[in-house]
Amino acid sequence: MSTTATSKQLGFLGSLLRERARQLHITDVEAAITALTEQRITMDGASATINHLLTLKTDAVVFPAAPVQGDPRGNLPKNRYSGRCVLCNANVAEGAGTYRRGDRGWETLHLPGQCAGPALTSDKPKQTFGERVTEILGDLPDGWYAVEAVGESTNDLTFVRFATNKGVYDASKKGQRYVRHIVGGHGEQGNVTIAWIEKVAAAVRAAGTDESAILFGQRMGQCGFCHTELTRKYSADKGYGPTCADKHGLPFDYTAYAASQKISDAKGE
């Protein structure tokens, strides 16, 4: 016997309904979700509804040509959550702006005329997520870095990777930069926001790229410059090995390195 739909299913249903509300003739998505909850829709029923909605195209985002006189909102929906405007990066209070569907999910915007960025009706192509990340990282080199914890974290450090897309799967993205959050036990995570990337990039710049890469190596046991495993105690303590020491002009005692114990030997004791 199927149980009642989970909150995760209902949340996903809500996002799908918001994206297709116009073609489904739904004027109040929240009321529709409440009705489904009160009717105790089952997990199977929710799954079937989700599968059906996924077969429908999302509504095209339409902004009114001209807002009502004295009312910049016009027919634009209110943003339910506060956030950074994707056009000017200034804060938009809850209910004070609007939102739209973007490449990476829902985006918050100021109302027309209230933003220092380009107008919502501008013909200028919207900057993609990858283009914005490339702009933020600028001349920061590819590598693995550790910096003081960024955002709401219970850890003392944030581990991150900066890399450049080689265009293997999509030639149009070749040369674009990307960022991965390295989380213990979970590998590299790509679900990071522009605001978070801005903070991490600023932290790496403030601490220094060499220093941040070295800290990564010391804490993770893999070189922050090349990601090679550090196999001797001396290199693990330094945070890098002899090859990257030569390449980046870093101090390195080759005699001490050769004499130092291999990590594998230490583990076997």
Side-chain angles (χ1 to χ4, degrees), residues 27 35 60-62 97 154 156 182 201 246:
T27 56
V61 178
V62 178
T154 57
D156 59 334
I182 300 173
D246 288 341

Side-chain angles (χ1 to χ4, degrees), residues 58-77:
T58 57
D59 294 335
V61 178
V62 178
F63 294 109
V68 177
Q69 186 71 25
D71 177 16
R73 179 173 299 284
N75 296 323
L76 296 175

Side-chain angles (χ1 to χ4, degrees), residues 19 36 41 63 66-67 81 84 107 113 118 126 193 226 229 250 256:
E19 294 171 349
L36 290 173
I41 184 173
F63 294 109
Y81 307 99
R84 292 282 182 180
E107 299 176 335
K126 177 176 166 287
T193 65
C226 68
E229 184 178 1
L250 301 171

Side-chain angles (χ1 to χ4, degrees), residues 129-197:
F129 189 87
E131 289 169 344
R132 178 63 182 134
V133 173
T134 302
E135 183 178 77
I136 293 170
L137 296 187
D139 59 355
L140 288 173
D142 289 350
W144 291 259
Y145 302 102
V147 293
E148 289 189 13
V150 173
E152 298 178 2
S153 174
T154 57
N155 301 317
D156 59 334
L157 295 174
T158 289
F159 300 92
V160 65
R161 178 191 179 194
F162 297 164
T164 301
N165 194 314
K166 293 181 172 57
V168 175
Y169 300 106
D170 186 346
S172 68
K173 295 183 178 180
K174 184 176 181 179
Q176 287 189 3
R177 309 292 298 282
Y178 61 90
V179 174
R180 295 292 183 264
H181 185 193
I182 300 173
V183 183
H186 302 285
E188 296 184 0
Q189 308 292 306
N191 56 335
V192 292
T193 65
I194 288 295
W196 187 86
I197 292 172

Side-chain angles (χ1 to χ4, degrees), residues 20-164:
R20 298 157 176 82
R22 204 157 42 244
Q23 61 184 294
L24 295 172
H25 306 291
I26 296 175
T27 56
D28 192 335
V29 174
E30 303 309 317
I33 294 297
T34 300
L36 290 173
T37 304
E38 292 175 348
Q39 293 170 13
R40 299 182 65 80
I41 184 173
T42 64
M43 291 177 66
D44 289 343
S47 294
T49 304
I50 287 171
N51 289 335
H52 170 66
L53 290 173
L54 287 172
T55 65
L56 304 177
K57 291 183 178 181
T58 57
D59 294 335
V61 178
V62 178
F63 294 109
V68 177
Q69 186 71 25
D71 177 16
R73 179 173 299 284
N75 296 323
L76 296 175
K78 288 185 179 181
N79 58 311
R80 298 180 59 204
Y81 307 99
S82 61
R84 292 282 182 180
C85 176
V86 296
L87 298 180
C88 69
N89 202 39
N91 188 61
V92 183
E94 176 185 344
T98 185
Y99 63 89
R100 69 184 181 191
R101 183 73 175 180
D103 296 336
R104 300 274 297 185
W106 294 106
E107 299 176 335
T108 303
L109 306 96
H110 282 106
L111 294 177
Q114 297 180 355
C115 172
L120 296 180
T121 55
S122 171
D123 293 330
K124 183 180 179 180
K126 177 176 166 287
Q127 191 176 41
T128 66
F129 189 87
E131 289 169 344
R132 178 63 182 134
V133 173
T134 302
E135 183 178 77
I136 293 170
L137 296 187
D139 59 355
L140 288 173
D142 289 350
W144 291 259
Y145 302 102
V147 293
E148 289 189 13
V150 173
E152 298 178 2
S153 174
T154 57
N155 301 317
D156 59 334
L157 295 174
T158 289
F159 300 92
V160 65
R161 178 191 179 194
F162 297 164
T164 301

